[in-house]
Amino acid sequence: MSFATRLADAVRRTRSVTCVGLDPRKASLPAPLRDAVSQDRPEEWAAAYTQFCCEIIDVVGDLVPCVKPQAAFFEQLGPAGMISLGEVVAYARSKNLLVILDGKRNDIGSTATAYADAYLGAESPWGSDSLTVSPYLGRDSIEPFVDVCDQRDAGIFVLVKTSNPGGGLLQNRQTDGQTVFQCVAELLTELNSSRQNAEGYGPLGAVVGATYPQELAEMRAAMPHSWILIPGFGAQGGAAEDVKVGFHEGGMGAVVNSSRHIIFAHARPEYADKFGDARWHDAVRAATEQMNAQLDLVK
Amino acid sequence: MSFATRLADAVRRTRSVTCVGLDPRKASLPAPLRDAVSQDRPEEWAAAYTQFCCEIIDVVGDLVPCVKPQAAFFEQLGPAGMISLGEVVAYARSKNLLVILDGKRNDIGSTATAYADAYLGAESPWGSDSLTVSPYLGRDSIEPFVDVCDQRDAGIFVLVKTSNPGGGLLQNRQTDGQTVFQCVAELLTELNSSRQNAEGYGPLGAVVGATYPQELAEMRAAMPHSWILIPGFGAQGGAAEDVKVGFHEGGMGAVVNSSRHIIFAHARPEYADKFGDARWHDAVRAATEQMNAQLDLVK
């Protein structure tokens, strides 16, 4: 079953469009997990990251369709962190969560194929369902990923319009009336056009930030065959009204990521007193349910 | 001592501008290394990659200033490959080779900082001297890397104009007479301007492919403070005449990468009969010396 179909099924099953970003950071872990690290060694932190992420997965497994582990934080711990990343991906999949691995990888030709094989391939040590990909290197840096998607029913999410303030430097540059991000969107739509599932979605998703609602609406129209991963909700400032324009009818076609606001919810003012570090799982659940309620779009 | 200064010193010491790309691939390893893999397990292949790369380093250690391990091929082996990558980086540094880790990483804000820490930071498990970085996310995706460079005397090489045929899709788009890659070059020059060493070079290097000589010459002029990493020489078609325009006087300011043509030289027609798989080290040496002779630019 194609990645796009599996994602739609997961959204319908959970009646949720929330993607929980798994961004473990040493300093932000709840006190019980931080305190359990007796020696400041990568292996101990990696074990704490695995425990933290897997316990989040236990909490949100029935509440959301997907999780998005951020590779950078696991890579920061070295090979021990990469083992942890594999454990987290496998655990999420065992709990019926789809995994969007956020690695923003890209390269050309056979090197792009190596990245695709590494994270999405038949013998992938990480075995993710999908991967985020950066488009700067052009069409021939995207196609090798698409080939692996075709073979493995995997997906990618290509950066189109990112949520950060500086994203516009390159992405908003306009040539003959078309911006760079519109050009990327056009490429995705073209590559998806021969790869649609019954609902019209292909394996090439797009990343479009919640912080630019007008562009999000425009990109929704420009990429009818793409699932859109919308970061920037919550901690980065995007609101529920902002992201609704990224969806098709019935809450299909997009998932909205929140990382810090969910996984470190115990530190948010509204939850700190009520739950605190000791009951961090309850804070994660409350924050996830709150976000689901804010984005009650699935019909 | 800054990365730019260390690179210049290494170029002068070796009288070479060759960067040897370490791109291990299972199918291309010399037969003696391939045959030593008795079971098709990541750990065994990782050991073969480490041995292959370290033996290349032994051969080229006195001949060239730097090596460029390609992260994708190590990531393909999973955590075992990431351990191998760390071993290769450490071994290269122990032999006085500078390491340009080719990971094309990028992200925003604190996630970019995590990548920079992962590969260049004080507690980096990989401990590279420099890292390749993709610019699609804009200025605030580059600055966190520059901060770590400032703290650690590290360097980055930002993708400007890549060597692949499809690179132009985004990179060549022109707005008000300025292409996307010119815009990236302008950013690098601005960020380098307050960070120059005695010779005028800063920590922000650039990747400009050998396959577009005219743009290479133009980028040389546009980025006076950047070391340029020039891929696309040899196997990808770039010739010696094409890359010379990327240098400053005396052979400073650029290094030229070759991967397959050197590390798999035993399979090249001109070396296959003479050396073959059994004497692959001699083929690596011959190919490196040939490239050094073609690019005899250091005065």
Side-chain angles (χ1 to χ4, degrees), chain A residues 3-22 57 59-69 91-100 129-130 157 227-229 247 251-258 262 288 291-292 295 298:
Chain A
F3 173 74
T5 302
R6 287 183 285 144
L7 185 50
D9 286 353
V11 165
R12 286 201 186 89
R13 186 183 72 242
T14 57
R15 300 184 61 81
S16 165
V17 296
T18 300
C19 175
V20 176
L22 300 174
I57 288 164
V59 173
V60 304
D62 296 328
L63 301 177
V64 302
C66 53
V67 291
K68 179 176 78 66
Y91 192 73
R93 297 195 63 185
S94 79
K95 297 293 178 181
N96 280 322
L97 286 163
L98 283 170
V99 176
I100 301 171
D129 298 290
S130 64
F157 289 89
W227 276 83
I228 301 180
L229 170 65
F247 288 81
M252 286 293 113
V255 289
V256 181
N257 184 74
S258 178
I262 288 180
T288 306
M291 183 160 159
N292 277 347
L295 298 173
V298 184

Side-chain angles (χ1 to χ4, degrees), chain B residues 63-87:
Chain B
L63 301 177
V64 302
C66 53
V67 291
K68 179 175 78 64
Q70 170 53 255
F73 297 109
F74 294 91
E75 287 175 72
Q76 211 175 354
L77 296 182
M82 298 310 265
I83 292 172
S84 169
L85 178 61
E87 291 168 348

Side-chain angles (χ1 to χ4, degrees), chain A residues 249-285:
Chain A
E249 287 296 305
M252 286 293 113
V255 289
V256 181
N257 184 74
S258 178
S259 303
R260 281 168 282 175
H261 252 40
I262 288 180
I263 66 171
F264 303 131
H266 65 277
R268 282 167 63 180
E270 63 265 53
Y271 299 126
D273 288 345
K274 192 169 175 192
F275 300 118
D277 283 53
R279 292 181 58 201
W280 68 270
H281 304 85
D282 294 325
V284 167
R285 172 175 290 275

Side-chain angles (χ1 to χ4, degrees), chain B:
Chain B
M1 196 187 296
S2 77
F3 173 74
T5 302
R6 287 184 286 141
L7 185 51
D9 286 354
V11 165
R12 287 200 184 89
R13 187 184 70 242
T14 58
R15 302 185 61 79
S16 166
V17 296
T18 300
C19 175
V20 175
L22 301 173
D23 293 19
R25 297 160 194 249
K26 291 180 183 178
S28 304
L29 290 185
L33 287 163
R34 238 177 28 241
D35 296 345
V37 174
S38 59
Q39 290 186 298
D40 187 13
R41 293 172 51 235
E43 292 74 16
E44 288 214 24
W45 284 109
Y49 282 13
T50 300
Q51 186 183 345
F52 177 58
C53 294
C54 291
E55 290 185 16
I56 291 168
I57 289 165
D58 283 336
V59 173
V60 305
D62 296 328
L63 301 177
V64 302
C66 53
V67 291
K68 179 175 78 64
Q70 170 53 255
F73 297 109
F74 294 91
E75 287 175 72
Q76 211 175 354
L77 296 182
M82 298 310 265
I83 292 172
S84 169
L85 178 61
E87 291 168 348
V88 169
V89 170
Y91 192 73
R93 297 195 63 183
S94 79
K95 297 292 179 181
N96 280 321
L97 286 163
L98 283 169
V99 176
I100 302 171
L101 184 55
D102 198 354
K104 299 188 174 61
R105 296 301 198 261
N106 62 346
D107 216 298
I108 61 178
S110 59
T111 311
T113 301
Y115 275 130
D117 279 343
Y119 293 103
L120 305 171
E123 295 176 28
S124 165
W126 287 286
S128 183
D129 299 289
S130 64
L131 179 70
T132 58
V133 172
S134 182
Y136 189 75
L137 291 148
R139 172 193 281 262
D140 46 0
S141 73
I142 305 290
E143 286 171 337
F145 288 96
V146 179
D147 289 343
V148 173
C149 287
D150 287 346
Q151 295 156 23
R152 302 292 308 160
D153 281 344
I156 56 173
F157 289 88
V158 179
L159 302 183
V160 172
K161 172 72 182 150
T162 59
S163 59
N164 57 313
L169 178 74
L170 305 185
Q171 297 162 26
N172 289 6
R173 290 171 62 89
Q174 208 169 94
T175 306
D176 298 335
Q178 187 190 47
T179 61
V180 165
F181 71 82
Q182 288 166 338
C183 175
V184 178
E186 187 177 271
L187 173 64
L188 301 191
T189 296
E190 182 203 326
L191 291 171
N192 264 337
S193 65
S194 59
R195 294 179 166 85
Q196 297 167 52
N197 67 6
E199 291 185 285
Y201 296 107
L204 292 108
V207 176
V208 184
T211 44
Y212 300 101
Q214 192 178 330
E215 286 81 356
L216 178 57
E218 182 205 318
M219 288 297 95
R220 176 66 291 167
M223 299 184 291
H225 311 307
S226 285
W227 275 84
I228 300 180
L229 170 64
I230 307 176
F233 185 79
Q236 283 184 58
E241 278 308 311
D242 296 332
V243 303
K244 286 180 181 170
V245 294
F247 288 82
H248 284 141
E249 287 294 304
M252 285 293 111
V255 288
V256 180
N257 184 74
S258 179
S259 303
R260 282 168 282 175
H261 252 41
I262 288 180
I263 67 172
F264 303 131
H266 65 279
R268 284 168 61 180
E270 63 263 53
Y271 298 127
D273 288 345
K274 193 171 172 189
F275 300 118
D277 283 52
R279 292 181 58 200
W280 68 269
H281 304 85
D282 293 326
V284 167
R285 172 175 290 275
T288 307
E289 288 176 341
Q290 183 194 50
M291 183 161 159
N292 277 346
Q294 287 171 333
L295 298 174
D296 181 23
L297 301 170
V298 185
K299 304 300 168 206

